[in-house]
Coordinates of all heavy atoms in Angstrom, one line a residue:
M1 N 8.4 -108.7 -130.1 CA 7.8 -109.4 -128.9 C 6.7 -110.4 -129.4 O 5.9 -110.1 -130.2 CB 7.0 -108.3 -128.1 CG 6.2 -108.9 -126.9 SD 5.3 -107.6 -126.1 CE 6.6 -106.6 -125.4
S2 N 6.9 -111.6 -128.8 CA 5.9 -112.6 -129.2 C 4.8 -112.8 -128.0 O 5.3 -113.1 -126.9 CB 6.6 -113.9 -129.4 OG 5.7 -115.0 -129.6
L3 N 3.7 -112.4 -128.3 CA 2.7 -112.5 -127.2 C 1.8 -113.8 -127.3 O 1.1 -114.1 -126.3 CB 1.6 -111.4 -127.3 CG 2.3 -110.0 -127.1 CD1 1.3 -108.9 -127.5 CD2 2.7 -109.9 -125.6
D4 N 2.0 -114.6 -128.3 CA 1.3 -115.9 -128.5 C -0.1 -115.6 -128.2 O -0.8 -116.4 -127.5 CB 1.8 -116.9 -127.4 CG 1.3 -118.2 -127.6 OD1 0.9 -118.6 -128.8 OD2 1.3 -119.0 -126.7
I5 N -0.7 -114.7 -128.8 CA -2.1 -114.3 -128.6 C -2.6 -113.5 -129.9 O -1.8 -112.8 -130.4 CB -2.4 -113.6 -127.3 CG1 -3.9 -113.6 -126.9 CG2 -1.9 -112.2 -127.3 CD1 -4.0 -113.2 -125.4
S6 N -3.8 -113.6 -130.2 CA -4.3 -112.8 -131.4 C -5.5 -112.1 -130.8 O -6.2 -112.4 -129.9 CB -4.7 -113.8 -132.5 OG -5.7 -114.7 -132.1
C7 N -5.8 -111.0 -131.6 CA -7.0 -110.2 -131.2 C -8.2 -110.9 -131.4 O -8.5 -111.4 -132.5 CB -6.9 -109.0 -132.1 SG -8.4 -107.8 -131.8
P8 N -9.1 -110.9 -130.4 CA -10.4 -111.7 -130.5 C -11.3 -111.0 -131.3 O -12.4 -111.6 -131.7 CB -10.8 -111.8 -129.0 CG -10.2 -110.6 -128.3 CD -9.0 -110.4 -129.1
N9 N -11.1 -109.8 -131.7 CA -12.0 -109.0 -132.5 C -11.8 -109.1 -134.0 O -12.6 -109.4 -134.7 CB -12.0 -107.5 -132.0 CG -13.3 -106.7 -132.5 OD1 -14.2 -107.3 -132.7 ND2 -13.1 -105.5 -132.7
C10 N -10.5 -108.6 -134.3 CA -10.1 -108.8 -135.7 C -9.2 -109.9 -136.1 O -8.8 -110.0 -137.3 CB -9.6 -107.5 -136.2 SG -8.1 -107.0 -135.3
E11 N -8.8 -110.6 -135.1 CA -8.1 -111.9 -135.3 C -6.6 -111.8 -135.8 O -6.0 -112.7 -136.1 CB -8.8 -112.9 -136.2 CG -10.0 -113.3 -135.5 CD -10.9 -114.4 -136.4 OE1 -10.4 -114.6 -137.4 OE2 -11.9 -114.9 -135.8
T12 N -6.2 -110.5 -135.8 CA -4.8 -110.3 -136.2 C -3.9 -110.6 -135.0 O -4.2 -110.5 -133.8 CB -4.6 -108.8 -136.6 OG1 -3.1 -108.7 -137.0 CG2 -4.7 -107.8 -135.4
D13 N -2.7 -111.1 -135.4 CA -1.6 -111.3 -134.3 C -0.4 -110.4 -134.7 O 0.7 -110.6 -134.1 CB -1.4 -112.6 -134.2 CG -0.7 -113.3 -135.4 OD1 -0.5 -112.7 -136.5 OD2 -0.5 -114.6 -135.4
E14 N -0.6 -109.5 -135.6 CA 0.6 -108.7 -136.0 C 0.6 -107.3 -135.6 O 1.6 -106.7 -135.7 CB 0.6 -108.8 -137.6 CG 0.9 -110.1 -138.2 CD 0.8 -110.1 -139.7 OE1 0.7 -109.0 -140.3 OE2 1.0 -111.1 -140.3
H15 N -0.5 -106.9 -135.1 CA -0.5 -105.4 -134.7 C -0.8 -105.3 -133.3 O -1.5 -104.4 -132.9 CB -1.5 -104.7 -135.5 CG -1.3 -104.9 -137.0 ND1 -0.3 -104.3 -137.6 CD2 -1.9 -105.7 -137.9 CE1 -0.3 -104.7 -139.0 NE2 -1.4 -105.4 -139.2
L16 N -0.4 -106.2 -132.4 CA -0.6 -106.1 -131.0 C 0.6 -105.5 -130.2 O 1.8 -105.8 -130.6 CB -0.9 -107.5 -130.4 CG -2.0 -108.2 -131.2 CD1 -2.2 -109.6 -130.6 CD2 -3.3 -107.5 -131.1
F17 N 0.4 -104.7 -129.3 CA 1.4 -104.1 -128.6 C 1.1 -104.3 -127.1 O 0.1 -104.2 -126.6 CB 1.5 -102.6 -128.8 CG 1.8 -102.3 -130.2 CD1 0.8 -102.1 -131.2 CD2 3.0 -102.3 -130.7 CE1 1.1 -101.9 -132.4 CE2 3.4 -102.1 -132.0 CZ 2.4 -101.8 -132.8
G18 N 2.1 -104.7 -126.3 CA 2.0 -105.1 -125.0 C 2.7 -104.0 -124.1 O 3.8 -103.7 -124.4
A19 N 2.1 -103.6 -123.0 CA 2.7 -102.7 -122.1 C 2.7 -103.4 -120.7 O 1.6 -103.5 -120.2 CB 2.0 -101.4 -122.0
R20 N 3.8 -103.7 -120.2 CA 3.8 -104.4 -118.9 C 3.7 -103.3 -117.8 O 4.3 -102.2 -117.7 CB 5.1 -105.1 -118.7 CG 5.1 -105.9 -117.5 CD 5.9 -107.0 -117.4 NE 5.9 -107.7 -116.1 CZ 6.5 -108.8 -115.8 NH1 7.2 -109.4 -116.7 NH2 6.4 -109.3 -114.6
N21 N 2.9 -103.7 -116.7 CA 2.3 -102.9 -115.7 C 2.3 -103.8 -114.5 O 1.2 -104.3 -114.3 CB 1.0 -102.5 -116.3 CG 0.4 -101.3 -115.7 OD1 0.8 -101.0 -114.7 ND2 -0.3 -100.6 -116.5
D22 N 3.4 -103.8 -113.7 CA 3.3 -104.7 -112.6 C 2.8 -106.2 -112.9 O 3.5 -106.9 -113.7 CB 2.5 -104.1 -111.4 CG 3.2 -103.1 -110.9 OD1 4.5 -103.0 -111.0 OD2 2.7 -102.2 -110.2
A23 N 1.6 -106.5 -112.4 CA 1.2 -107.9 -112.5 C 0.4 -108.2 -113.8 O 0.1 -109.3 -114.1 CB 0.2 -108.2 -111.3
V24 N 0.2 -107.2 -114.6 CA -0.5 -107.4 -115.9 C 0.2 -106.8 -117.0 O 1.0 -105.9 -117.0 CB -2.0 -106.8 -115.8 CG1 -2.8 -107.5 -114.8 CG2 -2.0 -105.4 -115.7
I25 N -0.1 -107.4 -118.2 CA 0.4 -106.8 -119.4 C -0.9 -106.3 -120.2 O -1.9 -107.1 -120.4 CB 1.1 -107.9 -120.3 CG1 2.3 -108.4 -119.6 CG2 1.5 -107.2 -121.7 CD1 2.9 -109.6 -120.3
T26 N -0.9 -105.0 -120.5 CA -2.1 -104.5 -121.2 C -1.7 -104.5 -122.7 O -0.7 -104.1 -123.2 CB -2.3 -103.0 -120.9 OG1 -2.6 -102.9 -119.5 CG2 -3.5 -102.5 -121.6
I27 N -2.6 -105.4 -123.4 CA -2.2 -105.6 -124.9 C -3.3 -104.7 -125.6 O -4.5 -104.6 -125.4 CB -2.6 -107.1 -125.2 CG1 -1.6 -108.0 -124.3 CG2 -2.3 -107.4 -126.7 CD1 -1.8 -109.4 -124.4
T28 N -2.8 -104.0 -126.6 CA -3.6 -103.1 -127.5 C -3.5 -103.6 -128.9 O -2.3 -103.8 -129.4 CB -3.2 -101.7 -127.3 OG1 -3.2 -101.3 -125.9 CG2 -4.2 -100.8 -128.1
C29 N -4.5 -103.8 -129.6 CA -4.6 -104.0 -130.9 C -4.7 -102.7 -131.7 O -5.7 -102.0 -131.5 CB -5.7 -104.9 -131.3 SG -5.9 -105.2 -133.1
S30 N -3.7 -102.4 -132.6 CA -3.8 -101.2 -133.3 C -4.7 -101.3 -134.5 O -5.0 -100.4 -135.1 CB -2.3 -100.9 -133.8 OG -1.9 -101.7 -134.6
G31 N -5.1 -102.6 -134.8 CA -6.0 -102.7 -135.9 C -7.4 -102.3 -135.6 O -8.2 -101.6 -136.4
C32 N -7.9 -102.6 -134.5 CA -9.3 -102.3 -134.0 C -9.4 -101.5 -132.8 O -10.6 -101.3 -132.3 CB -10.2 -103.6 -134.1 SG -9.7 -104.6 -132.7
S33 N -8.3 -101.2 -132.1 CA -8.2 -100.4 -131.0 C -8.7 -101.0 -129.7 O -9.0 -100.5 -128.7 CB -9.0 -99.0 -131.1 OG -8.5 -98.3 -132.1
L34 N -9.0 -102.4 -129.8 CA -9.4 -103.1 -128.6 C -8.2 -103.3 -127.7 O -7.1 -103.5 -128.2 CB -9.9 -104.5 -129.0 CG -10.5 -105.4 -127.9 CD1 -11.9 -105.0 -127.5 CD2 -10.5 -106.8 -128.3
S35 N -8.4 -103.2 -126.4 CA -7.3 -103.5 -125.5 C -7.8 -104.3 -124.3 O -9.0 -104.3 -124.0 CB -6.6 -102.2 -125.0 OG -7.6 -101.5 -124.2
W36 N -6.9 -105.1 -123.7 CA -7.2 -106.0 -122.7 C -6.0 -106.3 -121.9 O -4.9 -106.1 -122.3 CB -8.0 -107.3 -123.2 CG -7.1 -108.1 -124.0 CD1 -6.3 -109.1 -123.5 CD2 -6.7 -108.1 -125.4 NE1 -5.7 -109.9 -124.5 CE2 -5.9 -109.2 -125.7 CE3 -7.2 -107.3 -126.4 CZ2 -5.4 -109.4 -127.0 CZ3 -6.7 -107.5 -127.7 CH2 -5.9 -108.6 -128.0
D37 N -6.3 -106.7 -120.6 CA -5.3 -107.1 -119.7 C -5.0 -108.5 -119.7 O -5.9 -109.4 -119.7 CB -5.6 -106.6 -118.3 CG -5.6 -105.1 -118.2 OD1 -5.0 -104.5 -119.0 OD2 -6.2 -104.6 -117.3
R38 N -3.7 -108.9 -119.6 CA -3.3 -110.3 -119.5 C -2.3 -110.3 -118.3 O -1.4 -109.6 -118.1 CB -2.6 -110.6 -120.8 CG -2.2 -112.0 -120.8 CD -1.5 -112.2 -122.1 NE -1.4 -113.7 -122.2 CZ -0.5 -114.3 -122.9 NH1 0.4 -113.7 -123.7 NH2 -0.4 -115.6 -122.9
P39 N -2.6 -111.4 -117.4 CA -1.6 -111.5 -116.3 C -0.2 -111.6 -116.8 O 0.0 -112.5 -117.6 CB -2.2 -112.8 -115.6 CG -3.5 -113.0 -116.0 CD -3.5 -112.4 -117.5
A40 N 0.7 -111.0 -116.1 CA 2.2 -111.1 -116.5 C 2.8 -112.4 -116.1 O 3.6 -112.9 -116.8 CB 2.9 -109.9 -116.0
A41 N 2.3 -112.9 -114.9 CA 2.8 -114.2 -114.4 C 1.7 -115.0 -114.0 O 1.3 -115.2 -112.8 CB 3.8 -113.9 -113.2
P42 N 1.0 -115.6 -115.0 CA -0.3 -116.3 -114.7 C 0.1 -117.6 -113.9 O 1.1 -118.2 -114.2 CB -0.9 -116.6 -116.0 CG 0.3 -116.5 -117.0 CD 1.2 -115.5 -116.4
H43 N -0.7 -118.0 -112.9 CA -0.7 -119.2 -112.3 C -2.0 -119.7 -111.8 O -2.9 -119.0 -111.8 CB 0.3 -119.0 -111.0 CG -0.3 -118.1 -110.0 ND1 -0.3 -116.8 -110.2 CD2 -1.0 -118.5 -108.9 CE1 -0.7 -116.3 -109.0 NE2 -1.3 -117.2 -108.3
C44 N -2.0 -121.0 -111.5 CA -3.3 -121.7 -111.1 C -3.6 -121.2 -109.6 O -2.8 -121.4 -108.7 CB -3.2 -123.2 -111.2 SG -4.7 -124.0 -110.6
E45 N -4.7 -120.7 -109.3 CA -5.1 -120.4 -107.9 C -5.3 -121.6 -107.1 O -5.5 -121.5 -105.9 CB -6.3 -119.5 -108.0 CG -6.1 -118.1 -108.6 CD -7.3 -117.2 -108.6 OE1 -8.3 -117.7 -108.2 OE2 -7.2 -116.1 -109.2
R46 N -5.6 -122.8 -107.8 CA -6.0 -123.8 -107.0 C -4.7 -124.7 -106.5 O -4.5 -125.1 -105.4 CB -6.9 -124.8 -107.7 CG -8.3 -124.2 -107.7 CD -9.1 -124.8 -108.7 NE -8.9 -124.2 -110.0 CZ -9.5 -124.6 -111.2 NH1 -10.3 -125.6 -111.2 NH2 -9.1 -124.1 -112.3
C47 N -3.8 -125.0 -107.5 CA -2.7 -125.9 -107.2 C -1.3 -125.0 -107.2 O -0.4 -125.5 -106.8 CB -2.6 -127.1 -108.0 SG -2.1 -126.6 -109.8
G48 N -1.4 -123.8 -107.7 CA -0.2 -122.9 -107.7 C 0.7 -123.2 -108.8 O 1.8 -122.6 -108.9
S49 N 0.2 -124.2 -109.7 CA 1.1 -124.4 -110.9 C 1.2 -123.2 -111.8 O 0.2 -122.5 -112.0 CB 0.5 -125.6 -111.6 OG 1.1 -125.7 -112.9
T50 N 2.4 -123.1 -112.4 CA 2.5 -122.0 -113.4 C 2.4 -122.5 -114.9 O 2.6 -121.8 -115.9 CB 3.8 -121.3 -113.4 OG1 4.8 -122.2 -113.4 CG2 3.9 -120.5 -112.1
D51 N 2.0 -123.8 -114.9 CA 1.8 -124.4 -116.2 C 0.4 -124.2 -116.5 O -0.5 -125.1 -116.5 CB 2.2 -125.9 -116.1 CG 2.2 -126.6 -117.5 OD1 2.2 -125.9 -118.5 OD2 2.2 -127.9 -117.5
V52 N 0.2 -123.0 -117.1 CA -1.2 -122.6 -117.3 C -1.5 -122.1 -118.8 O -0.4 -121.8 -119.4 CB -1.8 -121.6 -116.3 CG1 -1.9 -122.2 -114.9 CG2 -0.9 -120.4 -116.3
V53 N -2.7 -122.1 -119.1 CA -2.9 -121.5 -120.5 C -3.8 -120.2 -120.4 O -4.8 -120.3 -119.7 CB -3.7 -122.6 -121.3 CG1 -4.0 -122.1 -122.7 CG2 -2.8 -123.8 -121.4
A54 N -3.4 -119.2 -121.0 CA -4.2 -118.0 -121.0 C -5.5 -118.3 -122.0 O -5.3 -118.7 -123.1 CB -3.5 -116.8 -121.5
H55 N -6.6 -117.9 -121.4 CA -7.9 -118.2 -122.1 C -8.7 -116.9 -122.3 O -9.5 -116.7 -121.3 CB -8.6 -119.3 -121.4 CG -9.9 -119.7 -122.1 ND1 -10.0 -120.4 -123.3 CD2 -11.2 -119.5 -121.7 CE1 -11.3 -120.5 -123.7 NE2 -12.0 -119.9 -122.7
P56 N -8.5 -116.2 -123.4 CA -9.3 -115.0 -123.4 C -10.7 -115.1 -123.7 O -11.1 -116.0 -124.5 CB -8.5 -114.2 -124.7 CG -7.6 -115.2 -125.3 CD -7.7 -116.5 -124.5
V57 N -11.4 -114.4 -123.0 CA -12.9 -114.4 -123.1 C -13.4 -113.0 -123.4 O -13.3 -112.2 -122.6 CB -13.6 -114.9 -121.8 CG1 -15.1 -114.9 -122.0 CG2 -13.0 -116.3 -121.4
P58 N -13.9 -112.9 -124.7 CA -14.4 -111.6 -125.1 C -15.7 -111.2 -124.3 O -16.6 -112.0 -124.3 CB -14.6 -111.7 -126.6 CG -14.6 -113.1 -126.8 CD -14.0 -113.9 -125.8
L59 N -15.8 -110.1 -123.9 CA -17.1 -109.6 -123.3 C -17.9 -109.0 -124.4 O -17.5 -107.8 -124.9 CB -16.8 -108.7 -122.1 CG -16.0 -109.3 -121.0 CD1 -15.8 -108.2 -120.0 CD2 -16.5 -110.4 -120.4
I60 N -18.9 -109.6 -124.8 CA -19.6 -109.1 -126.0 C -20.9 -108.4 -125.5 O -21.8 -108.9 -124.8 CB -20.0 -110.3 -127.0 CG1 -18.6 -111.0 -127.5 CG2 -20.9 -109.8 -128.2 CD1 -18.9 -112.1 -128.3
E61 N -21.1 -107.2 -126.1 CA -22.3 -106.5 -125.8 C -23.2 -106.4 -127.1 O -22.7 -106.2 -128.1 CB -21.7 -105.0 -125.3 CG -22.9 -104.2 -124.8 CD -22.4 -102.9 -124.2 OE1 -22.1 -102.0 -125.0 OE2 -22.1 -102.9 -123.0
R62 N -24.4 -106.6 -126.7 CA -25.4 -106.5 -127.9 C -25.8 -105.2 -127.9 O -26.6 -104.7 -127.1 CB -26.6 -107.5 -127.7 CG -27.3 -107.6 -129.0 CD -28.5 -108.6 -128.7 NE -28.1 -110.0 -128.5 CZ -27.9 -110.9 -129.6 NH1 -28.3 -110.4 -130.8 NH2 -27.6 -112.0 -129.4
S63 N -25.4 -104.3 -129.0 CA -25.8 -103.0 -129.0 C -27.1 -102.8 -129.7 O -27.6 -103.9 -130.1 CB -24.7 -102.1 -129.7 OG -24.3 -102.8 -130.8
R64 N -27.5 -101.8 -129.9 CA -28.8 -101.5 -130.6 C -28.9 -102.1 -131.9 O -27.9 -102.2 -132.6 CB -29.0 -100.0 -130.8 CG -30.3 -99.5 -130.8 CD -30.3 -98.0 -131.2 NE -29.9 -97.2 -130.1 CZ -30.3 -96.1 -129.6 NH1 -31.4 -95.7 -130.1 NH2 -29.8 -95.4 -128.7
G65 N -29.9 -102.8 -132.1 CA -30.1 -103.5 -133.4 C -29.4 -105.1 -133.1 O -29.5 -105.5 -132.0
T66 N -28.9 -105.6 -134.2 CA -28.5 -106.9 -134.0 C -27.0 -107.1 -133.9 O -26.4 -108.2 -133.9 CB -29.0 -107.9 -135.2 OG1 -28.6 -107.3 -136.4 CG2 -30.5 -108.0 -135.0
Q67 N -26.3 -106.0 -134.2 CA -24.8 -106.0 -134.2 C -24.2 -106.3 -132.9 O -24.5 -105.7 -131.8 CB -24.3 -104.7 -134.8 CG -23.0 -104.8 -135.6 CD -22.7 -103.7 -136.4 OE1 -23.2 -102.6 -136.2 NE2 -21.8 -103.8 -137.4
M68 N -23.2 -107.1 -133.0 CA -22.6 -107.5 -131.8 C -21.2 -106.9 -131.7 O -20.6 -106.9 -132.8 CB -22.3 -109.0 -131.6 CG -23.6 -109.8 -131.7 SD -24.3 -110.2 -130.2 CE -23.3 -111.7 -129.8
S69 N -20.8 -106.4 -130.6 CA -19.5 -105.8 -130.6 C -18.7 -106.2 -129.3 O -19.4 -106.3 -128.3 CB -19.5 -104.2 -130.8 OG -20.2 -103.8 -129.7
I70 N -17.4 -106.5 -129.5 CA -16.7 -106.9 -128.4 C -16.3 -105.6 -127.7 O -15.6 -104.7 -128.2 CB -15.4 -107.6 -128.8 CG1 -15.9 -109.0 -129.5 CG2 -14.5 -108.0 -127.7 CD1 -14.7 -109.8 -129.9
T71 N -16.6 -105.4 -126.5 CA -16.3 -104.2 -125.7 C -15.1 -104.3 -124.8 O -14.5 -103.3 -124.5 CB -17.5 -103.7 -125.0 OG1 -17.9 -104.8 -124.0 CG2 -18.7 -103.4 -125.8
A72 N -14.8 -105.4 -124.5 CA -13.7 -105.6 -123.4 C -13.3 -107.1 -123.5 O -14.0 -108.0 -124.0 CB -14.1 -105.2 -122.0
M73 N -12.1 -107.4 -122.8 CA -11.7 -108.7 -122.8 C -11.3 -109.0 -121.4 O -10.9 -108.4 -120.6 CB -10.2 -108.8 -123.6 CG -10.5 -108.9 -125.1 SD -11.2 -110.4 -125.5 CE -9.9 -111.5 -124.9
H74 N -11.6 -110.3 -121.1 CA -11.3 -110.8 -119.7 C -10.4 -112.1 -120.1 O -10.8 -112.8 -120.9 CB -12.6 -111.2 -119.0 CG -12.4 -111.9 -117.7 ND1 -11.7 -111.3 -116.7 CD2 -12.5 -113.2 -117.4 CE1 -11.7 -112.1 -115.8 NE2 -12.2 -113.4 -116.1
V75 N -9.3 -112.2 -119.4 CA -8.4 -113.4 -119.6 C -8.5 -114.2 -118.4 O -8.2 -113.9 -117.3 CB -7.0 -113.0 -119.8 CG1 -6.1 -114.2 -120.0 CG2 -6.9 -112.0 -121.1
E76 N -9.1 -115.5 -118.7 CA -9.1 -116.4 -117.6 C -7.9 -117.3 -117.8 O -7.3 -117.5 -118.7 CB -10.4 -117.3 -117.7 CG -11.7 -116.5 -117.6 CD -12.9 -117.4 -117.6 OE1 -12.8 -118.5 -118.0 OE2 -13.9 -116.8 -117.4
T77 N -7.6 -117.9 -116.6 CA -6.4 -119.0 -116.5 C -6.9 -120.3 -116.5 O -7.7 -120.5 -115.5 CB -5.6 -118.4 -115.4 OG1 -5.1 -117.1 -115.6 CG2 -4.3 -119.4 -115.4
R78 N -6.4 -121.1 -117.3 CA -6.7 -122.5 -117.2 C -5.5 -123.3 -116.9 O -4.5 -123.1 -117.5 CB -7.3 -123.0 -118.6 CG -8.6 -122.4 -119.0 CD -9.8 -123.2 -118.2 NE -11.0 -122.6 -118.7 CZ -11.7 -121.6 -118.2 NH1 -11.1 -120.9 -117.2 NH2 -12.8 -121.2 -118.7
C79 N -5.7 -124.1 -115.8 CA -4.5 -124.9 -115.4 C -4.5 -126.2 -116.2 O -5.5 -126.9 -116.4 CB -4.6 -125.2 -113.9 SG -3.4 -126.2 -113.2
R80 N -3.3 -126.6 -116.6 CA -3.2 -127.9 -117.4 C -3.4 -129.0 -116.5 O -3.6 -130.2 -117.0 CB -1.8 -128.0 -118.0 CG -1.6 -126.8 -119.1 CD -0.3 -127.1 -119.9 NE 0.1 -125.9 -120.5 CZ 0.7 -125.8 -121.7 NH1 0.9 -126.9 -122.4 NH2 1.1 -124.7 -122.1
I81 N -3.3 -128.9 -115.2 CA -3.5 -130.0 -114.3 C -5.0 -130.1 -113.8 O -5.6 -131.0 -114.0 CB -2.6 -129.9 -113.0 CG1 -1.1 -129.9 -113.5 CG2 -2.9 -131.0 -112.0 CD1 -0.1 -129.4 -112.5
C82 N -5.5 -129.0 -113.2 CA -6.7 -128.8 -112.7 C -7.9 -128.9 -113.8 O -8.9 -129.4 -113.6 CB -7.0 -127.6 -111.9 SG -5.9 -127.5 -110.4
D83 N -7.5 -128.2 -114.9 CA -8.4 -128.2 -116.0 C -8.2 -129.0 -117.1 O -8.5 -128.7 -118.3 CB -8.6 -126.6 -116.5 CG -9.0 -125.8 -115.3 OD1 -10.1 -126.1 -114.7 OD2 -8.5 -124.6 -115.1
A84 N -7.5 -130.1 -117.0 CA -6.9 -130.9 -118.0 C -8.1 -131.4 -118.9 O -8.1 -131.4 -120.1 CB -6.2 -132.1 -117.5
D85 N -9.2 -131.9 -118.2 CA -10.4 -132.4 -119.0 C -11.0 -131.3 -119.9 O -11.3 -131.6 -121.1 CB -11.4 -132.9 -118.0 CG -11.0 -134.1 -117.3 OD1 -10.0 -134.8 -117.7 OD2 -11.6 -134.5 -116.3
E86 N -11.1 -130.1 -119.3 CA -11.7 -129.0 -120.1 C -10.8 -128.6 -121.4 O -11.2 -128.4 -122.4 CB -12.0 -127.9 -119.2 CG -12.6 -126.8 -120.0 CD -12.8 -125.5 -119.2 OE1 -12.5 -125.4 -118.0 OE2 -13.2 -124.4 -119.9
L87 N -9.5 -128.6 -121.1 CA -8.6 -128.3 -122.1 C -8.6 -129.3 -123.2 O -8.5 -128.9 -124.4 CB -7.2 -128.1 -121.6 CG -7.0 -126.9 -120.6 CD1 -5.6 -126.8 -120.1 CD2 -7.2 -125.6 -121.5
R88 N -8.7 -130.5 -122.9 CA -8.8 -131.7 -123.8 C -10.1 -131.5 -124.7 O -10.0 -131.7 -125.9 CB -8.7 -132.9 -123.1 CG -8.4 -134.1 -124.0 CD -7.9 -135.4 -123.3 NE -8.5 -135.5 -122.0 CZ -7.8 -135.6 -120.9 NH1 -6.6 -135.7 -120.8 NH2 -8.4 -135.7 -119.7
E89 N -11.1 -131.2 -124.0 CA -12.4 -131.1 -124.7 C -12.4 -129.9 -125.7 O -12.8 -130.0 -126.9 CB -13.6 -130.9 -123.8 CG -14.1 -132.1 -123.2 CD -15.1 -132.0 -122.1 OE1 -15.7 -130.8 -122.1 OE2 -15.2 -132.8 -121.2
R90 N -11.8 -128.9 -125.3 CA -11.8 -127.8 -126.2 C -10.7 -127.9 -127.4 O -10.8 -127.1 -128.2 CB -11.3 -126.5 -125.3 CG -12.5 -126.0 -124.5 CD -12.0 -124.9 -123.5 NE -13.0 -124.5 -122.6 CZ -13.6 -123.3 -122.6 NH1 -13.4 -122.5 -123.5 NH2 -14.6 -123.0 -121.8
G91 N -9.9 -128.9 -127.1 CA -8.9 -129.1 -128.2 C -8.1 -127.9 -128.5 O -7.9 -127.4 -129.7
T92 N -7.5 -127.3 -127.4 CA -6.7 -126.1 -127.6 C -5.4 -126.3 -128.3 O -4.9 -125.3 -128.9 CB -6.4 -125.4 -126.3 OG1 -5.7 -126.3 -125.5 CG2 -7.7 -125.0 -125.5
G93 N -4.9 -127.5 -128.4 CA -3.8 -127.8 -129.1 C -2.4 -127.3 -128.4 O -1.4 -127.3 -128.9
H94 N -2.6 -127.0 -127.2 CA -1.5 -126.6 -126.4 C -0.7 -127.7 -125.7 O 0.3 -127.5 -125.1 CB -2.0 -125.5 -125.3 CG -2.2 -124.2 -126.0 ND1 -1.3 -123.3 -126.5 CD2 -3.5 -123.6 -126.2 CE1 -1.9 -122.3 -126.9 NE2 -3.2 -122.5 -126.8
L95 N -1.5 -128.8 -125.6 CA -0.8 -129.9 -124.9 C 0.4 -130.6 -125.8 O 0.3 -130.5 -127.1 CB -1.8 -131.1 -124.6 CG -2.8 -130.8 -123.6 CD1 -3.9 -131.8 -123.6 CD2 -2.1 -130.7 -122.2
P96 N 1.5 -130.9 -125.2 CA 2.5 -131.6 -126.0 C 1.9 -132.9 -126.6 O 1.0 -133.5 -126.0 CB 3.6 -131.9 -125.0 CG 2.9 -131.8 -123.6 CD 1.8 -130.9 -123.8
P97 N 2.4 -133.3 -127.8 CA 2.0 -134.5 -128.4 C 1.9 -135.7 -127.6 O 1.1 -136.5 -127.7 CB 3.0 -134.6 -129.6 CG 3.6 -133.2 -129.8 CD 3.6 -132.6 -128.4
S98 N 2.8 -135.9 -126.6 CA 2.8 -137.0 -125.8 C 1.5 -137.2 -125.0 O 1.2 -138.3 -124.4 CB 4.1 -137.1 -125.0 OG 4.1 -135.9 -124.1
L99 N 1.0 -136.0 -124.8 CA -0.2 -136.0 -123.8 C -1.5 -136.0 -124.6 O -2.6 -136.0 -124.0 CB -0.2 -134.8 -122.8 CG 0.9 -134.9 -121.9 CD1 0.9 -133.7 -121.0 CD2 0.8 -136.1 -120.9
Q100 N -1.5 -136.0 -125.9 CA -2.7 -135.8 -126.6 C -3.3 -137.2 -127.0 O -2.7 -138.2 -127.0 CB -2.5 -135.1 -127.9 CG -2.4 -133.7 -127.7 CD -2.1 -132.8 -128.9 OE1 -1.6 -133.3 -129.9 NE2 -2.3 -131.6 -128.9
Ligands
ZN201 ZN1 -8.1 -106.2 -133.4
ZN202 ZN1 -4.1 -126.2 -111.0

């Protein structure tokens, strides 16, 4: 299974398992046990386009001391039409060469 995503915590993309569950796919990293949900059929809420990019946002909790740990993941959806400017600034590399 190709998920086209890597673990935001340990950065592996080889030990991820996805379990589809209606509208979301729950992805679990066996390397560090982090799991998060990803929309199974992501689309733009503004224009309805399905030409979108999954943008994982780690929810980081500052635990006691200075150590930071990722406790959960939230996946935002970026539309290639509505969020074109932002995607270009971030340089995600997802745009086809003709648009770069
Ligand atoms: Zn991991
Ligand atoms: Zn849109």
